[in-house]
């Protein structure tokens, strides 16, 4: 158990809908990262937050957004869903994001299926 | 920009065989290098890391040496077990590059008894 929790574990929805994925980082970790893992594109970094502020952006679509709350949990919002958004979404956390990256601890993932 | 290239899988081995998964990188400066492992149905977890040239990371019988001259960080294990069946990801962290991990595509390993 990494200490990172993600809910829900599975999510099935229809095209055009909007969903929210939730992540609670390990106790004491200030950085939260979101990743998308699909069979055809591998592991894609989406976005990082550090202590409530956006720190780095990867291949995140405009239909997707995220935020980190004062209690450090984070939510990833996916809207106008398309079939191609079906994937495993991982959250990871780390202590900081300084010059030397400490280990990222991954949650178990949320499997999103868009029908 | 920075990049990581891993050998393509799947790799299939018999138990007790020697494992090498190649990883090479392109980066400016002095990145840190990582191997993560993803067991079936689970999230990724750090396997080992190296933060400077000639460092050797090791864990659970796996080893990888940070070779700056060949820009490589190959993963090796002398004798694999069925329980090593997983997907292995090589990754690079360069503090000067937007502070994000750059991931390889992953290499699937299947070990048969």
């Amino acid at each position: 158990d990494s200490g990172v929790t993600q809910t829900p574990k599975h999510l099935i929805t229809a095209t055009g809908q909007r969903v929210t994925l939730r992540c609670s980082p390990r106790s004491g970790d200030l950085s939260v990262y979101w990743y998308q893992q699909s069979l055809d594109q591998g592991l894609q970094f989406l976005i990082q937050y550090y202590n409530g502020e956006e720190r780095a952006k990867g291949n995140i679509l405009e239909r997707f957004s995220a935020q980190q709350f004062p209690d450090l949990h984070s939510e990833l919002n996916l809207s106008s869903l398309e079939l191609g958004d079906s994937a495993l979404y991982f959250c990871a956390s780390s202590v900081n994001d300084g010059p030397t990256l400490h280990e990222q601890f991954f949650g178990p993932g949320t499997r999103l299926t868009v029908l | 920009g920075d990049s990581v290239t891993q050998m393509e899988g799947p790799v299939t081995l018999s138990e007790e065989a020697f494992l090498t998964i190649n990883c090479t990188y392109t980066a400016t400066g002095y990145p840190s290098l990582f191997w993560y492992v993803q067991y079936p149905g689970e999230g990724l977890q750090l396997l080992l890391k190296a933060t400077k040239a000639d460092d050797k990371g090791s864990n659970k019988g796996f080893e990888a040496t940070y070779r700056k001259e060949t820009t490589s960080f190959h993963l090796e294990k002398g004798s694999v077990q069925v329980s090593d069946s997983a997907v292995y990801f090589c990754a690079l962290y360069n503090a000067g590059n937007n502070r994000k991990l750059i991931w390889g595509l992953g290499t699937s390993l299947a070990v048969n008894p």
Side-chain angles (χ1 to χ4, degrees):
Chain A
D1 184 352
S2 67
V4 178
T5 60
Q6 289 187 248
T7 57
K9 197 172 177 64
H10 299 280
L11 200 47
I12 301 174
T13 188
T15 54
Q17 295 299 304
R18 172 189 169 95
V19 297
T20 297
L21 312 184
R22 183 187 167 102
C23 168
S24 292
R26 286 190 331 150
S27 176
D29 284 359
L30 298 179
S31 268
V32 170
Y33 310 78
W34 285 99
Y35 292 90
Q36 179 192 60
Q37 186 178 38
S38 60
L39 284 175
D40 56 343
Q41 295 204 355
L43 190 66
Q44 300 283 321
F45 166 71
L46 297 178
I47 197 164
Q48 179 206 352
Y49 280 82
Y50 177 75
N51 204 19
E53 294 188 2
E54 182 183 304
R55 186 57 64 101
K57 230 169 183 176
N59 302 321
I60 188 165
L61 300 172
E62 284 192 14
R63 300 183 285 109
F64 296 1
S65 65
Q67 54 184 327
Q68 186 179 27
F69 295 87
D71 67 352
L72 301 177
H73 91 272
S74 177
E75 293 181 355
L76 178 67
N77 299 296
L78 314 176
S79 61
S80 303
L81 285 167
E82 302 174 359
L83 295 177
D85 298 327
S86 295
L88 201 49
Y89 291 84
F90 286 109
C91 168
S93 72
S94 68
V95 171
N96 64 5
D97 73 335
T100 301
L101 177 67
H102 290 260
E103 177 179 352
Q104 284 190 13
F105 293 86
F106 281 74
T110 292
R111 181 167 294 284
L112 173 67
T113 302
V114 182
L115 300 176
Chain B
D2 295 353
S3 66
V4 172
T5 302
Q6 280 182 245
M7 64 184 284
E8 287 190 26
V11 174
T12 303
L13 296 173
S14 297
E15 209 165 20
E16 298 184 2
F18 185 86
L19 168 71
T20 299
I21 300 179
N22 291 338
C23 172
T24 57
Y25 68 90
T26 302
T28 56
Y30 302 93
S32 296
L33 300 172
F34 304 82
W35 277 102
Y36 276 78
V37 58
Q38 184 180 23
Y39 296 105
E42 298 183 11
L44 284 73
Q45 55 186 276
L46 180 67
L47 181 59
L48 53 85
K49 70 178 182 183
T51 57
K52 61 182 187 297
D54 299 326
D55 265 3
K56 177 187 282 189
S58 61
N59 185 24
K60 300 182 180 180
F62 290 88
E63 292 183 340
T65 301
Y66 187 159
R67 303 277 189 208
K68 193 160 177 65
E69 64 276 14
T70 54
T71 62
S72 65
F73 193 54
H74 304 322
L75 182 69
E76 296 182 337
K77 186 175 185 182
S79 176
V80 293
Q81 306 300 313
V82 172
S83 57
D84 294 326
S85 298
V87 181
Y88 293 82
F89 292 89
C90 184
L92 171 160
Y93 179 77
N94 195 341
N97 181 22
N98 209 19
R99 294 185 171 182
K100 60 184 181 185
L101 271 174
I102 308 296
W103 295 88
L105 292 180
T107 303
S108 175
L109 170 67
V111 180
N112 298 318

